[in-house]
Amino acid sequence: MKLSQRIMAIKPSATLAVDAKAGELKAQGKDVISFGAGEPDFISPEAAFAYARRAMDEGRTHYPPTPGIPELRREISDYYKRRFGLPVEPAQIVVGCGAKPMIYEALAAIVDAGDEVILLAPTWVSYIEQIRLVDGKVVVVDTEKTNFVPDLQMTEQAITPRTTAILLNSPSNPTGIMYGEDILRGLGALAVKHDLWLIWDEIYEQLVYGENRHFHPLQLMPELAERIITINGVSKTYAMTGWRIGYAWGPRKVMDKINAFQSHLTSGATSIAQWAALGVMRESEADMRKMRDAFQARRSLICGLLAVMPLISFPEPQGAFYVFINIKNCLNKSYKGQLLQDDIEFCAALLEAELVAVVPGSAFFAPGYLRVSYATGEDAIREGMSRLRRFLEEIK
Ligand code: PMP
Ligand code: GLU
């Protein structure tokens, strides 16, 4: 039977696939260490359970309002006021089943067939496939030569009359790099000059380390208010990946349409999970800080271990929980007689030989790299990195 061209072209999420593969090997009794999917290893804060239990006891089992329960939309509105000083009306907010579908819904709301969306590579796997799923065209601006920060001139050169949006993610998955004030102003100016949307995915905005500071573009350029759709959620910040709650906010004109789309797609996110998300946003700031401190300590640990390994290099991540490692010096060399031609072969050989799972950079439009997620315990980091080192030392 026929399958659509759209769906024939889709590739499964490489990040989730790495974890699935690691899970299979573990089920066979193999001692795999996975640095695959970016998922906090912590259990959700107690407030998630307390609020979810109460919601169940109170029988909150009916369809929620499509854009989210009013209490949660109010809380998100208050959060943006508190954290960034930004006035966001609850009516501008749509809560959905994770940040991932909110990006898809936002793309569906602004992209017509053949419209171009600019991605700044290395970039997250799901953006690429989601743009294709709405029949948009992915236009890639590479940032490898500019330390993973976009070059404004190169970005502007990529803009055509078909460009609809630039999709931005800071702190970045997969590099951990953050965009500073100047670059945000520059990108904002491009959006104004060429009348573009900005999709601003700040899912890692609370996971920022050391002296680094996260800005929302509207703090710097209020004039972007009519052209920016913000994506955020509780998955990463509060270790809530399995509850599947994320949200988007932006100008009413587009958010009303996203809400209409969602009314046909999911009828809104699970009501019990929305109450759980409300619980952590109201009460779990201290838990979040503790998790962030743990990520910061793991970042130092893993960067210290990687820094003394042969053949590789990496920029120190400023946020999120990834290290993006350049392995180009390992390619076209051999590991125990096996030629490693690209990052995909490197990752496969590493998994086979040392039972260490990492994601190849190709999945993020960055061949010659690999992504390591350090959202895992310190013992696993130590053991996994010692295996990686042993692997690298065998490359001739
Ligand atoms: N954006 C980025 C950059 C991500 O890494 C993720 C990871 N899952 C998401 C969005 C989606 O998060 P979720 O759907 O779990 O809210
Ligand atoms: N976003 C995380 C990652 O990139 C989780 C997996 C996924 O959603 O693809 O690994």
Side-chain angles (χ1 to χ4, degrees), residues 73-353:
R73 292 166 89 203
R74 175 87 259 154
E75 187 61 35
I76 294 165
S77 161
D78 291 348
Y79 173 73
Y80 271 87
K81 181 98 207 136
R82 236 176 19 244
R83 169 136 167 79
F84 298 107
L86 293 175
V88 183
E89 292 301 322
Q92 289 176 258
I93 300 167
V94 175
V95 175
C97 313
K100 195 181 273 190
M102 298 322 296
I103 301 162
Y104 177 67
E105 291 177 25
L107 287 165
I110 61 174
V111 175
D112 279 317
D115 282 351
E116 297 173 3
V117 179
I118 294 182
L119 293 178
L120 303 164
T123 186
W124 182 46
V125 284
S126 292
Y127 300 146
I128 303 163
E129 297 298 334
Q130 288 194 359
I131 293 166
R132 292 177 179 156
L133 275 173
V134 297
D135 297 331
K137 186 172 162 210
V138 174
V139 173
V140 177
V141 175
D142 199 46
T143 66
E144 188 190 351
K145 294 201 172 55
T146 46
N147 302 320
F148 300 134
V149 175
D151 175 76
L152 290 177
Q153 220 180 343
M154 272 169 70
T155 310
E156 184 158 28
Q157 277 163 5
I159 296 171
T160 76
R162 290 309 301 265
T163 309
T164 301
I166 309 180
L167 205 164
L168 302 171
N169 171 222
S170 175
S172 152
N173 177 3
T175 63
I177 294 297
M178 294 173 62
Y179 297 168
E181 241 180 296
D182 288 353
I183 193 72
L184 289 177
R185 282 186 205 279
L187 291 165
L190 284 183
V192 173
K193 181 172 166 195
H194 296 277
D195 195 20
L196 306 178
W197 283 101
L198 292 177
I199 299 181
W200 172 246
D201 179 353
E202 57 176 7
I203 188 102
Y204 298 101
E205 49 101 4
Q206 283 283 4
L207 303 179
V208 167
Y209 312 115
E211 300 294 298
N212 298 297
R213 174 156 177 220
H214 176 86
F215 293 96
H216 188 286
L218 285 184
Q219 290 175 292
L220 309 171
M221 297 181 74
E223 65 272 30
L224 296 174
E226 286 308 306
R227 58 177 74 253
I228 185 162
I229 303 173
T230 298
I231 307 288
N232 204 340
V234 291
S235 285
K236 315 288 174 173
T237 309
Y238 294 102
M240 295 278 286
T241 45
W243 299 86
R244 308 306 305 125
I245 298 292
Y247 54 88
W249 62 267
R252 279 292 296 272
K253 188 175 147 208
V254 70
M255 295 316 298
D256 288 351
K257 292 296 181 196
I258 288 176
N259 185 27
F261 181 32
Q262 186 159 281
S263 77
H264 295 294
L265 195 67
T266 59
S267 307
T270 311
S271 66
I272 308 293
Q274 293 195 50
W275 286 97
L278 176 66
V280 296
M281 287 192 74
R282 274 194 187 154
E283 296 183 10
S284 303
E285 169 115 14
D287 301 85
M288 184 266 284
R289 283 176 196 279
K290 259 192 233 151
M291 293 189 272
R292 181 170 58 203
D293 289 348
F295 289 134
Q296 176 152 315
R298 293 168 184 187
R299 179 186 74 139
S300 306
L301 174 66
I302 199 165
C303 289
L305 294 169
L306 284 165
V308 292
M309 291 189 200
L311 296 172
I312 59 166
S313 60
F314 61 95
E316 177 169 280
Q318 299 164 305
F321 34 55
Y322 307 106
V323 193
F324 205 55
I325 303 171
N326 184 330
I327 54 157
K328 288 182 184 173
N329 284 336
C330 306
L331 302 183
N332 296 314
K333 294 187 181 152
S334 297
Y335 170 79
K336 297 193 174 166
Q338 179 187 351
L339 184 64
L340 304 175
Q341 295 192 80
D342 57 28
D343 52 311
I344 298 170
E345 289 186 3
F346 181 103
C347 293
L350 178 64
L351 183 58
E352 195 181 331

